[in-house]
Amino acid sequence: MNKKISEIKAEFEATDKVMLNELYAKYEKDQRTGVVNLIQKYKKQEQKLCMERERIENMRIYERKYAHFSYICGIDEVGRGPLAGPVVAGAVILPKDCEILYLNDSKKLSEKRREELYDEIMEKAIATGIGIVSPARIDEINILQATYEAMRIAIQQLETEPDLLLNDAVTIPGVTIDQVPIIKGDAKSVSIAAASIIAKVTRDRLMVQYDDVLPGYGFASNKGYGSAEHITALKTLGATPIHRMSFIKNFV
């Protein structure tokens, strides 16, 4: 007597992925639509997983190229463009054999995915660092120099000293470590992508906290960028201590 489809489904759910081929063989002659669809579903999931592993492997091209370095650190920043809030840089050193699926440019990921990846990166990384530079400092030295400063702080926060930096697009002045600037590096290097994600999550969490103490500007949703709600609030409520005065001259 055939097992119920619900029982077969439970068997698939409880089986280790490496044993799926045995289940495919076991039920391949069962022509019930529910069983056929179940097998197709798991095969598609396996195919997607295989494609994701291939994509991630392609994102390791620079890590492979410079594999003779002991500790490769990815560097990226978020928050150059907003009207309010700090600029934040991330620095991440991943183990050479580390696999973290779904790494990508943080802007291409959902908030839920970024949060999940943040936890995985923090768990698996050899070292991580965060650099935060305030709006007042941005006004003082300009956003480019503030970005460099945030990156230097992030590097200093690392518990393990890197011997190579893979940077998203820039060469950081005042750093003696070897550097490789990579255009759109957060989509081409797993190390830079990881740095992009921890920087983005850190800054987003800060902006949510600012929204609690500075309501009315929509910081939790716009993260300090110039949304219509934000600009209207600027014109009616004025600037806050976290606004970049050099960025909002046209609005106040």
Side-chain angles (χ1 to χ4, degrees):
M1 182 176 175
N2 285 338
K3 281 187 178 180
K4 293 180 180 179
I5 294 174
S6 59
E7 292 175 332
I8 297 173
K9 183 179 179 182
E11 195 174 349
F12 268 87
E13 289 173 351
T15 298
D16 191 293
K17 287 181 171 56
V18 297
M19 305 296 290
L20 282 173
N21 283 336
E22 291 185 15
L23 287 183
Y24 297 152
K26 182 177 179 181
Y27 295 110
E28 65 182 354
K29 293 182 180 179
D30 191 326
Q31 295 302 304
R32 287 177 293 174
T33 301
V35 177
V36 172
N37 289 344
L38 186 66
I39 291 173
Q40 287 179 346
K41 172 189 170 183
Y42 274 86
K43 284 186 175 181
K44 283 180 181 178
Q45 287 178 353
E46 282 196 296
Q47 185 180 20
K48 284 183 179 179
L49 188 60
C50 182
M51 290 172 64
E52 175 58 19
R53 286 205 162 99
E54 185 177 341
R55 187 188 69 84
I56 288 294
E57 190 57 30
N58 289 335
M59 281 182 70
R60 297 181 62 81
I61 181 171
Y62 291 98
E63 284 77 6
R64 289 195 300 271
K65 181 177 180 179
Y66 298 104
H68 54 286
F69 287 91
S70 298
Y71 297 108
I72 298 172
C73 178
I75 305 282
D76 199 9
E77 54 70 34
V78 295
R80 281 206 205 188
L83 306 179
V87 62
V88 177
V92 176
I93 302 174
L94 295 174
K96 290 184 181 294
D97 61 349
C98 180
E99 180 185 72
I100 301 177
L101 299 180
Y102 310 108
L103 284 174
N104 208 335
D105 171 2
S106 63
K107 296 184 293 297
K108 297 179 180 179
L109 301 170
S110 68
E111 181 179 355
K112 182 176 184 291
R113 178 75 80 187
R114 285 196 300 266
E115 289 284 348
E116 292 169 348
L117 285 169
Y118 176 92
D119 291 340
E120 189 172 358
I121 292 162
M122 299 303 284
E123 177 187 342
K124 293 182 176 179
I126 292 171
T128 62
I130 289 288
I132 301 175
V133 173
S134 70
R137 184 63 172 160
I138 292 169
D139 288 334
E140 181 184 349
I141 62 174
N142 78 46
I143 186 60
L144 179 59
Q145 295 306 317
T147 298
Y148 291 149
E149 190 166 289
M151 290 176 168
R152 289 192 290 267
I153 293 169
I155 296 165
Q156 291 164 8
Q157 293 293 316
L158 294 165
E159 292 184 357
T160 300
E161 184 175 353
D163 44 10
L164 181 71
L165 304 178
L166 300 181
N167 307 337
D168 187 31
V170 302
T171 299
I172 310 163
V175 173
T176 57
I177 303 166
D178 288 342
Q179 303 181 59
V180 179
I182 303 168
I183 303 297
K184 296 184 178 178
D186 47 9
K188 297 177 181 176
S189 158
V190 290
S191 302
I192 299 176
S196 167
I197 289 163
I198 69 164
K200 172 71 172 164
V201 170
T202 298
R203 188 179 188 281
D204 284 359
R205 289 176 179 177
L206 279 173
M207 296 309 295
V208 171
Q209 292 172 11
Y210 285 134
D211 192 53
D212 288 337
V213 296
L214 299 167
Y217 297 85
F219 291 144
S221 58
N222 62 48
K223 306 302 189 288
Y225 285 87
S227 67
E229 175 191 17
H230 186 179
I231 291 170
T232 298
L234 261 177
K235 291 176 178 178
T236 56
L237 302 175
T240 72
I242 69 161
H243 277 100
R244 305 172 183 180
M245 301 309 294
S246 56
F247 280 48
I248 61 172
K249 293 174 182 176
N250 294 332
F251 307 117
V252 295

